[in-house]
Every structure is written in structure tokens, then in C-alpha cells.
Amino acid sequence: MKQFGKILKFELKYYLKNKVFVGVTVFLVLLIAGVMFFPKITESFKSDETTNSTETQPVMLVKSEMGEEIQQAFSVVFTDYEVKTTSEDLEKIKEQITSGEAECAFVITGNASYQYLVNNLSIYDVNTEIADSVLIDIYRMQAMMSSGMTSEQAGEIISFTVDSKVISLGKDQMQNYWYTYIMIFALYMVILLYGQMVATNVATEKSSRAMEVLITSAKPTAMMFGKVIASCLAGLTQLVAVFGSAILFYSLNKNYWGDNQIIASIFDMPVELLGYMLIFFVLGFFIYAFLYGAIGSTASKLEDINTSVMPITMLFIVGFLVVMFSFAAGSVDNTLMKVCSFVPFTSSMAMFTRIAMSTVPWYEIVISIVILIGSVLGIGVLSAKIYRVGVLLYGTTPKLSSIIKAIRKA
Amino acid sequence: MILELKNIEKAFGQKRVLSGVSFRAESGKAFGLLGRNGAGKTTSIRILMDVFPADSGEVLIDGKPIDYNKIQIGYLPEERGLYPKKLIIDQLVYFAELKGMSKREAVKSVDYWLQRLNMTEYRGKRLDTLSKGNQQKIQLITALAHNPDIIILDEPFSGLDPVNAMLLKDVVKEQIKKGKIVLFSSHQMNYIEEFCDSIAILNSGKTALSGDLHDIKRGYVRDRLAVRTECADKIKSDFKENCSTAENGELIIKLSSADNKRSVMKQLVENYDIDEVRVYEPSLNDIFVEYAGNEGVKENEAVR
């Protein structure tokens, strides 16, 4: 136990003093600060420009037989434009648009037809849809009025809306979507990143032959658990720094974000979900970090690491993809996901997603966590055994079968 | 304290690495573990250090199975290497702490050894900024700092300049005087001969020879004389086929029987201008070649 403590401290110091680790964390925090302060910053720029901003509105030309009426209707819906009527011919209008005098133009040729002219058509251009609905409304108004209704009666019919309210008794997938997405992604990134770091760390010790002294100084189990738990703590530190600063910066800028639904839903996540995130992060992390550590011990050169860890990485990515596809399709309770939420290699992501996005019976959660804990211990001890055998093997990377034989012997 | 390995056997898969290694080392004396590459020296050392267990056989301290919680072992591996990118003081203290020292003891001891080996100026430097010889001195500290009862030094002199080799010799002699068991493994026979009171020669995973070096040498039939003289030619012509010249220029005179060595010595001293005459004893080199050299030993690349 004493040895384990020393190893943990030494390894943790390695992460916390590592320039890359500190650099990446600071960068992420700054990035989040940038995003979170963005509305505030743009706001402060805007306030300087409000006085002259009206003059810079782009011009929209409207040519129509209907005249003033259509100009008024368009002015109401196209608030970003200065809507002007025109009686020029088509060629002249085109010229005005290409020269930049006007940005776009509607040439209305009849009750149900028009031409929309614009220089560069943006993929977000919805002007025609807005114009469609305005023209349809005008047509309906006219039709209703001509059949004897007053303009008030017609206006009431046109502006009729349905008031609805959705009450979700389980989870609201729309509401939970974004923070679940972010959490799964964080889980994925951290496990992959730190897993590789554990593997590299072990392989470095082996290739620098520091292992020769280490293996005779400390028990392999203490080495393995010390390394993995240290990297887990480092990963958690990074997560806490990133998420913590996000929450802090958000609360500082809450007013500026106003009614941004996505951001609000992210920071509205329930606390117990954070608890589940922590449990599944730690357990999932351990499973993969132990495997990565064991693999790292079998490679004799640092260059071999990338190929050696490939099977583990693939396993993890396949699990991630299954979860992501089910998640994106909104069917987090399909059979594959149910199976995955009990398989220790995927359950950290799968079960977490199900808890966040659907209603999972408590006993399923308990079973999944118990299986995970059991697997963590089993894989931990197994990987320490592989480590003990692996670190003393030099030369070609040994075959799986020969490692298993050696473990049985040891 | 007496360290004993008894009939150690070990196989890795199908490959038998050790098939009966036995030797005995005493505290206050240096012991030399010899053998060609792949003879099983490192495997024996690893079993002695409990890196992996033996298939059969025993490691005993004073006749009882070794208790690794009580007996501390210091090890300088043949494959040198520590953390290249870490500060020297940090890693030395870490290794001493792993061996059970408190942080304070570890710092104190490491500082003592840095000073003893004239390395104090490198205390706060990164290991990879040091020359190879100096890195080796740092590594030596990992073997000594925790004040071990048994010190295992694998090729300790390789890579050291004569001044550093002298320093290391002094340190080793100090440790022997303090009553430590010092176990050498080396191919440099002159060092073994200088330090070690007893040796074991391994050949193909077996102890081919072990015991007190002096006794081993005395065990050879003492029927040859080594003569250092200026008038070698004259002696040669007188002793004819019984006389040969050794590599170092000495004359070796083969006697018809070990019994008449005194009369021949007397005869030599009286009749010729003799600088030195003594009974010829085989060098460790000769003994090594005799016991370790004959069979081809295949090097085991996978597990050493």
C-alpha cells in the first residue's frame, strides 16, 4: 500500500508537471472562456454601432402591380432589409443587384408567381419561403374578403394559432440531447487520450530500461494500479477544470446568452447525471487504462505502441459508434444498446447514454455497475500479470498465446 | 549472513533456462557470478530478487527461506537506464522511497551518495544531460541509497573511466567492509579476481563450478612453476620440452611430479639469475574458459 501511494504521487506529478498536459488544459479553459464570453463581447461591439446601423441595412427591391400594400407587408416580415418598391424593368433591377446597390429583388408577376433575384444565393437564404407565406396570406385575405367577410374576420382566421404543451413523463430527449452528447464525447476523448498515455508511459519505462530497476523495486500490481489511478485522477482534474470553468463562465454571462435553448439545456443538466457520469467515467476509464497499460508493457519500442494498441482502440471506437448511432437515431433502448450496457467494454458509454436519454430500471443500473466493478478488478489484476511478464520481454512483440502461457506460469 | 541458492530450476515455456543453479555467498565478502552470455546469470539474479518465482529450488538466508520484507536488495542491472527526462534528485528519491525509505531518509541518503560519488553538482539536472559514465554513477546510487543488505552489481565497471572505476572500487570495498553481501556479475575477470573471495560459474543453466576462489585455484595439481627471469633462453635450453613461455613472458616449467617442486625451485634460484619463482596457479580466465567455454551456449533472445 505504501509503495502504491508513492507510485501514485510520482506518476500524478508527472502529469501535473507535464507541459503538454498543462498547456492543453489552459487552452481548453481559454477556449471555453472565449465561447462563453462571446455574446457579451459582441454585445459591447454592437452598442457602439447602434447609432449608424440603420444606414447599413441592405436594400430589397420589390416590383409588383399591387404597389404599396405589398411593400408594407414585406417591410413587416423582412426586418433586416430596407424594402423599396421599384418600377424599373428586369434588366435594370439585375444591374442594381450585381452592382451591389440592392441585395435582392422580388419581381411579382401574378397572384401566385414571382421571380427572386439575388447575387449569391446563400444556403441559409429563406427569403423565398417568407415571401411565399406572405403572398399566400394576401391571396387568402383577398379571397375571403371577396366572398363577403370583413377584413377583421379574415385577419382573425389567418392569424389563428394552436396552443400546445408537451409533458414528458420520462426523459425529454430534446432537452437532454446536448449535454449527453457532450458528456459521451468527453468520456470518449479522455479515455482514448489517457489510455494511450498510460501505454506510452509504460513503454517508455521499458524502452529506457528504467523498468529493470522498477520491477525489482515495486510489485507489478502496485505499479499498474498506481499508474492507472494517477492517470485517472489527471483526467478527472482536466475534466473538472474544463467543465468547472464552463459552468463558472456561463453563470457570469447567463444574461447575455438569453434564451439560447441549446446552451440553457446544457447547463440545466441534473446533478445526479453528473454523479453517474463520474461513476461510469472512472470505471470505464479503468477498464481501458489497464488494457492499454498491459499492451504497453508488451511493446519493446515506442514506435510499436500505435500498432499494438490498435485492437483495444478499435474495440472502444466500435462501442462509441454503436452508442453514437443509437443516440443520434433517438433509439437508445434498442436491443444492441441493452446488450452493450452490460458488456464492461461498452457499458460505461451505453448505460450512461440510456440513463441520460431514457428511463432505465434501477436494478439494470446496479447490475451494470456491479459487472463493471468486477471487470475492473479482474482486468486490473490480469493486466498487472501481463505487465510483470511483458516488461521483461524484449525483442519481437510476443504473441498473445505466449503471453497467456507465461502468465499461467508466473 | 549467508545467502544460498539451492537447485534453482526455471523454464519459460518450452525453454529451460535454469536446470540446477546453486551457490552460496557470505556477508562481508564479495561473490562473483560468472558465465557466458545466456548462461542464466540474469535469470538467477531475477529469481533471487523475486521478480518471478523459480519452478523449483530455494533461496535461503541463513538456512531459512528469504523474507523480502526484511532483506533489502540493491541492484545495478546490466541494461542501464532510468527516466531520461526527469530530474536526478526526483528519481533517485523515488527509487529509494519505493524500497521503503521515508522521504526524509531518502533525500538524506541520496544526498550522501551524490556527494560520495562527486555528483552533487548534477542534483537538479535532467538525467539525459549527463554523460554515459555519469549516468551510470547515478544508477549506482539507486542500488545503494536504500542501504541494502545484498548488493547485486551486473557489469559495474563497463563504461567507467579509470578514475571512476577506482572510485567504484573504493565504494565496493567499503560496502564489503560494512558486512554487505556483494554479488558481482562480470566478464571482466581481472575485477572479479581482485574483489571476489568466492565464485560460481554457470554453464547452460547449471552451476559448473562454485566455491572459494583460493581453494579452487589450490585444487589444481601444483606441478608447474612460473619463473620471471632475464636468462630465459638458458633455462629453456636446459629444461627443453618441459619449458614453455606464457603470454605475459613468464616461463612455465612443467614438473614430473608436484612433490619435487621445492628441489627444482632451489635448483633454479642457485643456478640462474631469477627475479621470481612461484608455483603456477591458473588465472580465473583459464578457469572460466575451462568450465564455461567448451559447450556452445545458445543465446536466448526472448528472456534474458
Side-chain angles (χ1 to χ4, degrees), chain B residues 276-288:
Chain B
E276 185 189 348
V277 60
R278 57 186 157 79
V279 176
Y280 175 81
E281 284 184 342
S283 69
L284 186 56
N285 210 48
D286 300 333
I287 299 171
F288 182 82

Side-chain angles (χ1 to χ4, degrees), chain B residues 105-118:
Chain B
E105 288 172 328
V107 172
K108 202 177 148 197
S109 173
V110 166
D111 277 335
Y112 164 76
W113 279 108
L114 282 172
Q115 192 236 329
R116 178 73 184 82
L117 297 176
N118 306 325

Side-chain angles (χ1 to χ4, degrees), chain A residues 126-311:
Chain A
V126 290
N127 287 351
T128 54
E129 285 161 37
I130 298 171
D132 286 356
S133 68
V134 170
L135 290 174
I136 288 169
D137 283 354
I138 292 173
Y139 177 78
R140 283 179 181 162
M141 280 282 278
Q142 282 171 349
M144 280 187 273
M145 281 160 76
S146 67
S147 64
M149 283 189 197
T150 64
S151 61
E152 283 79 24
Q153 283 174 322
E156 230 168 78
I157 293 173
I158 295 281
S159 61
F160 175 77
T161 53
V162 179
D163 187 21
S164 73
K165 197 169 187 182
V166 180
I167 298 166
S168 167
L169 299 177
K171 299 278 166 65
D172 179 357
Q173 293 202 345
M174 271 310 284
Q175 174 82 12
N176 300 0
Y177 185 85
W178 287 105
Y179 60 71
T180 310
Y181 186 89
I182 289 173
M183 280 174 159
I184 297 174
F185 213 76
L187 207 71
Y188 171 78
M189 288 301 289
V190 171
I191 288 178
L192 211 57
L193 214 70
Y194 281 84
Q196 301 255 17
M197 267 161 112
V198 171
T200 314
N201 185 327
V202 172
T204 311
E205 275 173 2
K206 191 179 168 188
S207 69
S208 76
R209 307 287 161 129
M211 197 56 81
E212 299 272 335
V213 181
L214 278 174
I215 198 74
T216 55
S217 307
K219 290 274 152 217
T221 331
M223 293 287 302
M224 200 57 167
F225 279 78
K227 270 179 197 306
V228 166
I229 292 172
S231 67
C232 181
L233 288 177
L236 271 179
T237 311
Q238 204 160 34
L239 278 184
V240 167
V242 169
F243 280 95
S245 60
I247 291 169
L248 176 73
F249 295 143
Y250 174 69
S251 63
L252 289 177
N253 294 293
K254 210 168 182 174
N255 298 332
Y256 294 97
W257 282 101
D259 50 356
N260 188 321
Q261 285 299 315
I262 294 174
I263 295 287
S265 78
I266 289 172
F267 288 99
D268 206 24
M269 74 175 105
V271 179
E272 80 254 24
L273 202 61
L274 268 181
Y276 281 124
M277 162 94 178
L278 191 68
I279 292 173
F280 284 106
F281 166 76
V282 169
L283 293 176
F285 185 96
F286 279 163
I287 294 251
Y288 279 96
F290 279 132
L291 287 175
Y292 274 114
I295 297 271
S297 74
T298 62
S300 7
K301 280 178 282 167
L302 268 179
E303 302 92 274
D304 297 345
I305 276 290
N306 288 332
T307 30
S308 307
V309 299
M310 193 74 92

Side-chain angles (χ1 to χ4, degrees), chain B residues 74-201:
Chain B
Y75 178 43
L76 177 73
E78 187 186 1
E79 299 274 4
R80 314 272 203 263
L82 297 170
Y83 294 106
K85 302 284 175 203
K86 288 193 172 137
L87 299 188
I88 283 164
I89 180 72
D90 285 356
Q91 46 184 317
L92 286 179
V93 168
Y94 174 55
F95 283 117
E97 281 186 284
L98 280 183
K99 299 280 197 176
M101 277 188 149
S102 73
K103 175 126 190 174
R104 239 172 81 202
E105 288 172 328
V107 172
K108 202 177 148 197
S109 173
V110 166
D111 277 335
Y112 164 76
W113 279 108
L114 282 172
Q115 192 236 329
R116 178 73 184 82
L117 297 176
N118 306 325
M119 297 295 286
T120 308
E121 58 180 305
Y122 302 108
R123 192 178 188 274
K125 292 223 162 85
R126 269 176 25 189
L127 184 72
D128 59 359
T129 61
L130 270 60
S131 70
K132 192 168 166 255
N134 281 339
Q135 288 191 22
Q136 182 157 336
K137 280 160 86 179
I138 294 298
Q139 182 135 23
L140 183 67
I141 297 177
T142 64
L144 296 171
H146 58 292
N147 195 21
D149 309 288
I150 301 170
I151 300 165
I152 301 171
L153 304 172
D154 203 340
E155 290 293 354
F157 294 98
S158 73
L160 290 184
D161 64 45
V163 178
N164 278 329
M166 190 68 112
L167 184 63
L168 176 58
K169 274 190 209 172
D170 290 344
V171 168
V172 170
K173 279 178 190 154
E174 256 171 47
Q175 295 295 314
I176 295 172
K177 237 183 216 163
K178 279 187 182 166
K180 307 284 173 75
I181 297 178
V182 179
L183 205 150
F184 272 103
S185 172
S186 179
H187 292 131
Q188 285 170 287
M189 297 300 159
N190 51 334
Y191 286 116
I192 300 282
E193 212 155 11
E194 186 178 340
F195 280 110
C196 296
D197 305 295
S198 51
I199 59 157
I201 296 177

Side-chain angles (χ1 to χ4, degrees), chain B residues 247-286:
Chain B
E247 271 176 31
N248 59 3
E250 287 183 343
L251 287 181
I252 307 294
I253 298 169
K254 176 111 173 63
L255 308 174
S256 52
S257 153
D259 294 337
N260 48 23
K261 61 176 185 269
R262 282 182 68 191
S263 61
V264 177
M265 272 181 173
K266 201 172 167 192
Q267 180 195 344
L268 282 167
V269 174
E270 280 170 1
N271 299 336
Y272 306 96
D273 180 13
I274 300 290
D275 294 337
E276 185 189 348
V277 60
R278 57 186 157 79
V279 176
Y280 175 81
E281 284 184 342
S283 69
L284 186 56
N285 210 48
D286 300 333

